[in-house]
Amino acid sequence: MGRTRPTKIPRWRWRRNPLRRRSDAVEAWIVLIAWALATVGGAIAGAVAAQGTENALTRSRAERREVSAVLLETAPADVVDMTTGAICSRVRAQVRWTDGNGIVRTDSATVRAGTKSGTTVPVWTDGHGSLVPAPMGSAEARARAMLTGAGAGVCGGLVILAAGRVVRRRVEHRATERWGEEWAQVGPRWGRRTG
């Protein structure tokens, strides 16, 4: 005799049915609301995170200034990257520059390997005159903001779906307890024990 596959009835919790419990309808509403909130909440979280990241990167670009610095030492030419074993094209070396307040400063900056002492190199400073990495370009900043927004949107949606799952499990657990209580009342009337 061939095995028959159970027929899956779509949207059975929404249909009128004498076997449908109230908890089935509640579960259906919880799933629907959780998915709707996850979609909307995830989109809002993503948009807020992307906008916040873009604003922070724009502020960072506006605060940084490119200044000319003089290399105080010849940059090493044969530095090997310990992780890849390749020769580095950029290395750290001592530079001197004058900040916006006229104070002469000295620090270590990233320059091309093999650059001779006394060469003028561009460096970036923050509002306090300290060396900082070069700001991201607008395309790179936009891409980072989009990735941050996408990540925040997915995480926000998953958190909402997880909360909906917890609520649904509680409703399901309570329905099972109620079913057990009802069975405890009805079972003895049958005159025999099952299980």
Side-chain angles (χ1 to χ4, degrees):
M1 186 153 136
R3 291 174 38 176
T4 60
R5 296 180 90 184
T7 306
K8 187 172 182 176
I9 302 171
R11 298 181 304 279
W12 69 271
R13 286 185 169 101
W14 296 102
R15 295 179 179 190
R16 294 206 179 271
N17 182 337
L19 298 177
R20 185 187 77 177
R21 300 170 295 180
R22 181 172 179 258
S23 63
D24 294 332
V26 171
E27 282 183 53
W29 279 106
I30 289 170
V31 170
L32 179 68
I33 290 169
W35 275 100
L37 287 176
T39 303
V40 173
I44 290 171
V48 168
Q51 188 63 45
T53 302
E54 193 167 351
N55 290 345
L57 293 173
T58 300
R59 261 192 324 274
S60 173
R61 271 198 315 270
E63 292 172 355
R64 295 179 186 202
R65 302 278 180 253
E66 184 177 15
V67 296
S68 295
V70 176
L71 194 57
L72 298 178
E73 61 187 354
T74 300
D78 299 336
V79 177
V80 177
D81 185 349
M82 299 304 263
T83 56
T84 63
I87 295 178
C88 297
S89 62
R90 301 199 52 88
V91 295
R92 307 263 323 156
Q94 289 292 316
V95 295
R96 181 178 57 232
W97 74 98
T98 304
D99 68 11
N101 297 328
I103 300 171
V104 177
R105 295 180 176 253
T106 304
D107 202 350
S108 178
T110 304
V111 296
R112 281 202 181 128
T115 305
K116 302 290 183 202
S117 176
T119 304
T120 302
V121 293
V123 294
W124 290 86
T125 61
D126 62 9
H128 305 291
S130 302
L131 287 182
V132 292
M136 286 185 203
S138 60
E140 187 180 356
R142 194 174 307 115
R144 179 170 288 187
M146 286 172 36
L147 285 173
T148 302
V154 168
C155 289
L158 289 175
V159 166
I160 293 170
L161 287 177
R165 178 103 174 163
V166 167
V167 171
R168 182 175 171 226
R169 288 271 185 188
R170 285 191 171 189
V171 168
E172 190 176 282
H173 181 70
R174 182 62 191 131
T176 303
E177 284 178 351
R178 245 183 278 139
W179 183 83
E181 291 166 3
E182 291 171 5
W183 182 255
Q185 292 173 358
V186 173
R189 291 185 204 162
W190 287 17
R192 62 185 166 121
R193 287 285 205 204
T194 59

